[in-house]
Amino acid sequence: MIQKFSQVERRIFSFPAVHPCEDVSPATLLGSLISLSQDISNHQSKFFATQRRNARETIRQIGILLVFFEEVRDRGSIVPESALLCFSELHLTFQKIRFLLEDCSREGARLWILMKSEMVATQFRTLIKTVSTALDVLPLNLIDICGEVKELVELVAKQARKAKIDIDPDDERAMRRVRSVLNRFEKGIEPEFQILKWVLDHLEIKSWCDCNKEIQFLEEEISSQCVDGEEREVPFLSSLLGFMSYCRGVVFDTLDNRNTDQTDVRCNIDILSCLNPEDFRCPISLELMIDPVTVSTGQTYDRSSIQKWFKAGNMICPNTGEKLANTGLVPNTNLRKLIHQFCADNGVSLAKTGKKSRDITRTIMPGSPAAAEAMKFLSKFLASKLLFGPSEQKNKSAYEIRLLAKANVFNRSYLIEAGTIPPLLNLLYSFNKSIQENAIAALLKLSKHPSGKKVIVESGGLRSILSVLKRGTSLEARQIAAATIFYLSSVKGYRKLIGETPEAIAALVDLIKEGTACGKKNALVALFGLLLYPGNHQTVLDAGSVPLLVDILTSSDKHELVTDSLAVLATLAESFDGTFAILKTSSLPLIARILRSSTSQAGKEHCVSILLSLCSNGGDEAIAALAKDPSVMSSLYSVVTDGTSQASKKSRSLIKILHKFHETSSSRQGCQAFEHEQSVDVW
């Protein structure tokens, strides 16, 4: 009878109440009303930062009506038809009251509820009036209840009629102060600390953690409104987000203990696994890219989306806002491989994932002038603390930066502009585990911005990052450093620079040997990026990478690691030295077996690529070894049918090589047999 909605499923201020069915039995309706009334009464123990008097009065009235409903149930009274209609109306209204109380006590939504006080008060007023109207027409005389309960119901009806539902004066004062702060931000004036503190105290936001919950709620609400196309309130929400982000960074000096575990860098978090759907989405369509292409600014988009962008007359890069030198599109085949590899290994449907992604492209520009100025002030504040603050504040500032830059392009640009990168690079030499992890994670986020990569490298940061990769205070820090190298290697000119830096590639190979599954993945993808510069191939081979990669193929139960390893081997196998290094490990039968058994289409295609290179560069010996496996042909034909055009082409080439080998072998055997027959005749 009562439809339950979790706060995750139900948007704030949405009241999906359902009217009871016309043929519902009186007992069922009554039972449901009692359950609803109990739910509402239980809100008495919950905390209301605002709307306290309105919520308390509403809960009190419903609590009295609960006594009435229980009395009707316990007496087994017959409920007349006219009373059932009133009960149905009350049931619908009680659902809405429960939703409203849930919203007013919702964790993280205190600032938003405060700023919507007028609307919330109106909702309370409307719902209480509806209860009053239903009770006015309720035929109490026809229902068998005791006189005391009847008087209570009449009292509630009278009080509901006369109820004064207004905004609390303190709430009104808090609203005015928040608006004054936003106005100051818009004018480029930094707000007074005491005003911020008064607002936070009024809302009982007493810790960094409380403030962070408010920020998370506002971010989710902005994202939801953008996805739904209801962006009317997004500028105001953005201003409030700027206000609360500034408060989190400036007002609270220390992180709560429960928030220093750095859970956002663990291996199960998408942002640091490198192979995650958000990184593979087209910034225009938000869908996973099927045919990624790169424009003249170095940014990558799905071909169909960027072509529509050009067709609409746009000649700037959607991601950076830079003017495009031309409309040429270069296929990003390596990225396409990674996307298909990820989808195949993780069961991700290209059709189903697009609309759930957060649109990071909308963060290129600030959501409002107030949000922009708040971020400018906060960036300068954090840069100052990184330079001159004590160790604890440096650590907190680094953590703030990693959060602010996580999925916001504008925040990244202002943090970089404020000069946060050089002091963050200095923190990489700290022996404090938390400081080093926060600093390298913050740099990882900033390295996703084009200017971030440039500042890191021009500040000599490559050497600092590599020092963490080699000798970080924790394995976690080393793994994040590998992910940062991956992003830096997306710049063509930096691949050579990284490859020529002593021990850089060796350190990535060491991480493949020593890291967790996440660390191995980060190192593999970083190596794959560096191998796009041919001059790095020999260094990767000399570092002893091939035996380690083959060992992963043999022993790992992580399908994505196997596929990543195959991708690196496929690139290495393109050279003669790479081919011979792979053949030396006697792994050709293993690769053929993976081709046959792998459930990953990308894995199969990498196998085909490796086998083709081994046969092309390794000569008859490699071809003969592969030809011994009778199952290879069927696997190759499967890739011809189901694989990408490039994989299909390689499969056909390998099939031709094997056919030619078999024909040549048969011909040789025929010649030998013929010579033998002749020798017998002569004999």
Side-chain angles (χ1 to χ4, degrees):
M1 185 75 198
I2 301 174
Q3 191 170 3
K4 294 282 188 181
F5 291 86
S6 72
Q7 288 188 351
V8 173
E9 293 171 338
R10 185 179 67 83
R11 288 275 304 281
I12 196 166
F13 300 139
S14 65
F15 305 142
V18 180
H19 206 286
C21 303
E22 289 183 11
D23 57 351
V24 66
S25 70
T28 301
L29 179 58
L30 190 60
S32 189
L33 266 171
I34 290 170
S35 181
L36 267 172
S37 301
Q38 289 170 339
D39 283 352
I40 291 168
S41 297
N42 288 338
H43 278 79
Q44 195 164 4
S45 61
K46 294 194 175 181
F47 174 73
F48 292 87
T50 56
Q51 301 287 336
R52 292 188 182 97
R53 193 178 65 80
N54 295 337
R56 189 168 58 245
E57 181 60 22
T58 302
I59 293 168
R60 187 189 67 79
Q61 291 184 11
I62 303 303
I64 294 172
L65 293 178
L66 172 60
V67 175
F68 162 62
F69 296 132
E70 288 176 335
E71 172 82 1
V72 174
R73 180 196 62 190
D74 295 344
R75 282 178 174 253
S77 304
I78 296 173
V79 181
E81 187 70 28
S82 55
L84 281 176
L85 291 173
C86 293
F87 281 8
S88 292
E89 190 61 36
L90 286 171
H91 188 280
L92 186 70
T93 305
F94 282 14
Q95 290 177 67
K96 294 177 181 178
I97 289 173
R98 184 185 63 185
F99 289 139
L100 184 58
L101 291 171
E102 284 176 357
D103 288 344
C104 289
S105 58
R106 190 168 185 162
E107 193 172 53
R110 294 177 189 179
L111 180 63
W112 187 228
I113 294 291
L114 171 70
M115 302 312 292
K116 302 290 284 185
S117 287
E118 291 179 12
M119 187 269 277
V120 174
T122 300
Q123 286 287 344
F124 273 117
R125 195 178 301 117
T126 302
L127 293 171
I128 290 298
K129 288 291 181 188
T130 306
V131 170
S132 167
T133 303
L135 294 178
D136 282 343
V137 296
L138 180 67
L140 281 174
N141 293 330
L142 301 178
I143 303 173
D144 180 23
I145 53 172
C146 68
E148 271 185 17
V149 172
K150 183 180 177 182
E151 286 177 11
L152 285 173
V153 174
E154 289 171 343
L155 179 63
V156 168
K158 183 179 178 181
Q159 289 175 342
R161 264 195 313 274
K162 297 181 177 180
K164 284 191 72 178
I165 306 293
D166 294 315
I167 302 172
D168 186 279
D170 283 342
D171 289 350
E172 205 155 8
R173 192 176 302 116
M175 275 196 296
R176 285 199 303 270
R177 292 195 170 185
V178 172
R179 288 198 179 99
S180 75
V181 170
L182 298 183
N183 287 334
R184 288 175 73 87
F185 273 137
E186 279 193 36
K187 294 173 183 176
I189 304 170
E190 203 159 7
E192 294 176 24
F193 182 89
Q194 289 306 318
I195 294 177
L196 301 176
K197 192 74 171 64
W198 188 93
V199 172
L200 295 175
D201 286 344
H202 174 74
L203 295 173
E204 297 207 25
I205 297 172
K206 296 181 176 179
S207 67
W208 187 96
C209 178
D210 292 339
C211 199
N212 193 48
K213 287 174 184 174
E214 298 288 316
I215 290 169
Q216 289 174 340
F217 167 80
L218 291 168
E219 287 176 337
E220 288 165 9
E221 189 62 21
I222 290 170
S223 182
S224 297
Q225 291 198 11
C226 288
V227 168
D228 295 344
E230 303 169 359
E231 300 184 29
R232 184 174 51 85
E233 290 186 310
V234 167
F236 186 47
L237 281 162
S238 298
S239 296
L240 295 178
L241 178 59
F243 169 90
M244 201 53 75
S245 297
Y246 181 86
C247 288
R248 186 183 68 185
V250 174
V251 176
F252 299 104
D253 290 333
T254 57
L255 297 168
D256 300 1
N257 288 335
R258 58 193 163 184
N259 285 285
T260 55
D261 60 353
Q262 324 301 330
T263 52
D264 70 317
V265 298
R266 300 303 174 203
C267 193
N268 60 331
I269 297 300
D270 287 343
I271 200 73
L272 290 182
S273 67
C274 290
L275 294 176
N276 78 78
E278 191 163 287
D279 286 337
F280 295 153
R281 295 189 192 282
C282 174
I284 299 172
S285 69
L286 310 183
E287 301 281 344
L288 285 176
M289 290 182 279
I290 297 171
D291 185 11
V293 291
T294 302
V295 297
S296 60
T297 58
Q299 300 294 308
T300 299
Y301 305 91
D302 205 18
R303 184 185 294 275
S304 61
S305 298
I306 194 65
Q307 284 177 338
K308 286 178 186 175
W309 175 267
F310 290 154
K311 215 170 185 179
N314 298 302
M315 280 301 297
I316 62 169
C317 177
N319 223 6
T320 65
E322 296 175 50
K323 188 171 182 180
L324 294 167
N326 55 64
T327 57
L329 302 175
V330 180
N332 194 330
T333 54
N334 291 301
L335 180 59
R336 186 172 63 80
K337 285 180 186 177
L338 289 174
I339 292 171
H340 284 269
Q341 166 188 321
F342 176 86
C343 292
D345 290 347
N346 293 277
V348 176
S349 167
L350 286 170
K352 294 179 181 178
T353 54
K355 293 186 179 178
K356 295 188 178 179
S357 172
R358 194 173 166 218
D359 177 11
I360 195 171
T361 56
R362 64 174 170 73
T363 68
I364 294 171
M365 299 298 291
S368 70
E373 294 302 320
M375 190 61 215
K376 287 180 187 178
F377 284 124
L378 180 56
S379 297
K380 291 173 184 175
F381 176 86
L382 294 174
S384 174
K385 292 297 178 184
L386 285 174
L387 284 168
F388 307 114
S391 291
E392 189 178 347
Q393 289 191 6
K394 287 180 179 179
N395 188 29
K396 179 183 178 290
S397 295
Y399 189 60
E400 290 285 351
I401 292 167
R402 71 187 289 188
L403 293 181
L404 290 165
K406 186 174 183 180
N408 191 297
V409 179
F410 176 77
N411 287 358
R412 290 172 191 165
S413 65
Y414 263 81
L415 287 162
I416 294 163
E417 193 176 304
T420 59
I421 285 179
L424 282 171
L425 290 170
N426 289 335
L427 291 182
L428 296 184
Y429 293 103
S430 171
F431 293 107
N432 182 297
K433 176 177 173 289
S434 179
I435 290 176
Q436 191 181 79
E437 283 186 6
N438 281 326
I440 189 64
L443 287 164
L444 168 64
K445 308 299 190 295
L446 297 177
S447 72
K448 296 183 179 185
H449 194 280
S451 63
K453 297 179 181 70
K454 184 179 180 184
V455 174
I456 287 172
V457 173
E458 290 182 355
S459 301
L462 189 54
R463 194 166 294 278
S464 306
I465 293 166
L466 290 174
S467 74
V468 176
L469 178 62
K470 290 185 284 185
R471 295 178 293 275
T473 54
S474 68
L475 189 57
E476 192 68 48
R478 292 174 61 197
Q479 292 174 170
I480 301 169
T484 310
I485 295 295
F486 165 72
Y487 281 103
L488 293 177
S489 69
S490 66
V491 178
K492 189 176 180 181
Y494 296 162
R495 294 168 196 155
K496 182 176 184 289
L497 183 64
I498 296 168
E500 290 176 350
T501 303
E503 299 183 28
I505 287 174
L508 289 170
V509 172
D510 285 344
L511 190 58
I512 293 173
K513 192 189 306 178
E514 302 163 4
T516 63
C518 182
K520 292 178 191 290
K521 175 184 280 290
N522 289 355
L524 285 168
V525 181
L527 279 180
F528 187 83
L530 293 174
L531 285 170
L532 296 176
Y533 172 62
N536 288 331
H537 282 224
Q538 192 58 49
T539 313
V540 174
L541 290 171
D542 292 343
S545 59
V546 170
L548 290 174
L549 296 172
V550 172
D551 184 59
I552 290 174
L553 301 185
T554 307
S555 60
S556 179
D557 59 352
K558 304 283 185 186
H559 297 301
E560 64 272 19
L561 282 183
V562 171
T563 308
D564 290 345
S565 299
L566 288 169
V568 176
L569 285 170
T571 306
L572 291 172
E574 291 171 1
S575 68
F576 284 102
D577 288 340
T579 290
F580 293 138
I582 295 169
L583 289 174
K584 194 175 178 181
T585 62
S586 304
S587 57
L588 190 148
L590 171 64
I591 295 165
R593 188 166 69 249
I594 295 171
L595 171 63
R596 182 174 66 249
S597 61
S598 177
T599 56
S600 162
Q601 189 61 35
K604 287 177 180 289
E605 294 181 5
H606 291 319
C607 287
V608 170
S609 187
I610 295 167
L611 293 173
L612 179 60
S613 294
L614 296 183
C615 290
S616 300
N617 299 333
D620 288 348
E621 190 176 341
I623 300 171
L626 185 61
K628 289 178 183 176
D629 188 341
S631 67
V632 167
M633 280 298 189
S634 61
S635 300
L636 291 174
Y637 280 118
S638 173
V639 175
V640 169
T641 306
D642 302 326
T644 62
S645 59
Q646 193 174 10
S648 178
K649 184 178 178 181
K650 288 183 178 180
S651 292
R652 284 195 294 269
S653 298
L654 190 51
I655 289 169
K656 285 180 182 177
I657 290 172
L658 291 173
H659 274 314
K660 187 175 180 181
F661 176 80
H662 285 302
E663 288 171 3
T664 305
S665 297
S666 300
S667 175
R668 283 176 187 163
Q669 288 172 1
C671 288
Q672 288 171 357
F674 178 70
E675 288 173 5
H676 179 67
E677 287 174 11
Q678 281 188 325
S679 64
V680 169
D681 290 341
V682 171
W683 184 261

